[in-house]
Amino acid sequence: MAVEVAVVGNVNIDFVIRAKNLPQPGQNVTADGMQLAPGGKGANQAVAAARLGAIVYLISRLGKDPFGALLLQHLKKANVDTSCVAVDQSKPTGCAFVTVLPDGENAIISALGANMALTPADVEQAFAELEHLDAIVVQMGIPLACVDRVIQIGTDRDIPVLFDPTPMREGLPRLWRYATTITPNASEAEALTGIKVTNIASAFEAAENLHGRGIKRVVVKLGAKGCVLFDEEGARRVRAYQVQAVDTTGAGDTFAAALAVRLAEGASFDDAALFATAAAAIACTKPGAEAAMPTRQQVESFMARRGKRGMVSSRLS
Ligand code: RIB
């Protein structure tokens, strides 16, 4: 039976440009063209979880404008339940300016707009309507008070909360250490722990530090180097599947969604992390945040083709 997941987070319209390099201050660089694409970390995670077979409810806020209408339509088409997506009467739909570089890496500036008008009361009202949930996923493209409310509700109702601490900005939700699972990348892990994460050894140190603060499952993501896991059984490393990366936008969102879905289905931490690693690798192989997000069947056949042996190990090098 499909698991039920609530994703609380931002919805954006992405303005995507592919460029050879980023402009320096005072410099003007040109690109071949611009594409509009559905995005926002919350929406991306919701779409990724739905493609992987979960029943998904998105809790979010967008603007009463053409972008908002377009994104709502897109989410519905992607099988995401939007009954808890509020339409703000005055703030514009969030947007992000995404520059994709030749190696697939990206640089993003977001103007969060209506996303920042989501309130803890909206969050409470939405959860009151969602009776059965197997997992909650939340990130930081919404007010931190809303993230706190989500973690509190998850704790009170005994629903596992996966907290993806991105985008990093000033301050942290007060209750972040009460999340069940956390999935920072290297710079986010450094912001949370003060440990500079530059390699597997320092990622391990940061993961141990986060686990020591009370978080049950920690993943420190290292892009093409895979990730480090830490839970009550200690540390493991998951190697990344090597792919030709075209656009890494949305790969972290795919990872978080896939991890949450497989954990909710009862998979072990190692199996869930390996599945998430495969899903994120596939998500890098096509342009756009959501265009490349895989279905369940695509992830399973990718893993069957590429194999699992040696992907998870206790060797931290
Ligand atoms: O994680 C990728 C997303 O970050 C983009 O879709 C963009 O909207 C920003 O929120």
Side-chain angles (χ1 to χ4, degrees), residues 30-103:
T30 55
D32 284 342
M34 187 274 292
Q35 274 166 339
L36 285 181
K41 292 176 191 301
N44 293 346
Q45 292 175 349
V47 170
R51 276 201 198 145
L52 295 171
I55 296 168
V56 184
Y57 308 94
L58 178 63
I59 301 170
S60 189
R61 188 172 270 265
L62 38 71
K64 193 181 172 194
D65 48 34
F67 288 142
L70 199 80
L71 292 169
L72 258 186
Q73 205 182 21
H74 164 78
L75 286 162
K76 284 181 188 152
K77 236 170 109 184
N79 276 331
V80 173
D81 185 311
T82 58
S83 53
C84 299
V85 177
V87 178
D88 200 276
Q89 297 303 307
S90 57
K91 299 267 184 330
T93 296
C95 60
F97 297 87
V98 181
T99 306
V100 182
L101 297 165
D103 63 355

Side-chain angles (χ1 to χ4, degrees), residues 10 12-14 38-41 44 95-96 98 108 110 112 249-251 253 289:
N10 63 324
N12 287 342
I13 183 84
D14 288 355
K41 292 176 191 301
N44 293 346
C95 60
V98 181
I108 302 177
S110 312
L112 288 166
T249 316
D253 303 329

Side-chain angles (χ1 to χ4, degrees), residues 6 8 45 135-144 146-148 150-151 159-169 171-185 188 192 210 215 217-219 221 252 255-257 259-260 263:
V8 190
Q45 292 175 349
I136 301 172
V137 182
V138 64
Q139 358 58 37
M140 296 208 292
I142 51 174
L144 299 184
C146 292
V147 182
D148 276 326
V150 172
I151 297 175
I159 306 165
V161 178
L162 184 150
F163 173 46
D164 195 17
T166 180
M168 253 312 155
R169 51 202 167 94
L172 283 171
R174 239 173 354 101
L175 301 180
W176 70 271
R177 282 174 289 131
Y178 295 90
T180 326
T181 305
I182 194 164
T183 53
N185 65 17
E188 291 152 4
L192 293 170
L210 290 167
I215 301 177
R217 293 185 208 96
V218 180
V219 181
K221 297 175 292 184
F255 185 99
L259 184 68
L263 287 172

Side-chain angles (χ1 to χ4, degrees), residues 98-265:
V98 181
T99 306
V100 182
L101 297 165
D103 63 355
E105 270 307 326
N106 60 60
I108 302 177
I109 300 184
S110 312
L112 288 166
N115 292 298
M116 291 307 278
L118 189 75
T119 64
D122 290 333
V123 170
E124 259 161 49
Q125 199 189 330
F127 276 100
E129 281 162 30
L130 303 175
E131 256 170 50
H132 176 84
L133 285 173
D134 300 293
I136 301 172
V137 182
V138 64
Q139 358 58 37
M140 296 208 292
I142 51 174
L144 299 184
C146 292
V147 182
D148 276 326
R149 204 70 208 100
V150 172
I151 297 175
Q152 184 71 62
I153 290 170
T155 310
D156 291 349
R157 286 176 53 176
D158 207 14
I159 306 165
V161 178
L162 184 150
F163 173 46
D164 195 17
T166 180
M168 253 312 155
R169 51 202 167 94
E170 225 166 277
L172 283 171
R174 239 173 354 101
L175 301 180
W176 70 271
R177 282 174 289 131
Y178 295 90
T180 326
T181 305
I182 194 164
T183 53
N185 65 17
S187 64
E188 291 152 4
E190 181 181 344
L192 293 170
T193 63
I195 296 167
K196 195 158 184 55
V197 177
T198 52
N199 53 23
I200 301 289
S202 49
F204 162 67
E205 209 189 313
E208 185 175 34
N209 177 298
L210 290 167
H211 185 256
R213 292 171 191 236
I215 301 177
K216 191 170 166 198
R217 293 185 208 96
V218 180
V219 181
V220 176
K221 297 175 292 184
L222 298 167
K225 289 198 192 111
C227 60
V228 165
L229 314 183
F230 205 107
D231 65 2
E232 63 191 2
E233 286 166 26
R236 275 93 70 209
R237 177 189 178 180
V238 182
R239 286 177 196 285
Y241 288 102
Q242 299 306 313
V243 289
Q244 185 67 47
V246 171
D247 184 353
T248 57
T249 316
D253 303 329
T254 305
F255 185 99
L259 184 68
V261 169
R262 287 298 289 133
L263 287 172
E265 288 172 351

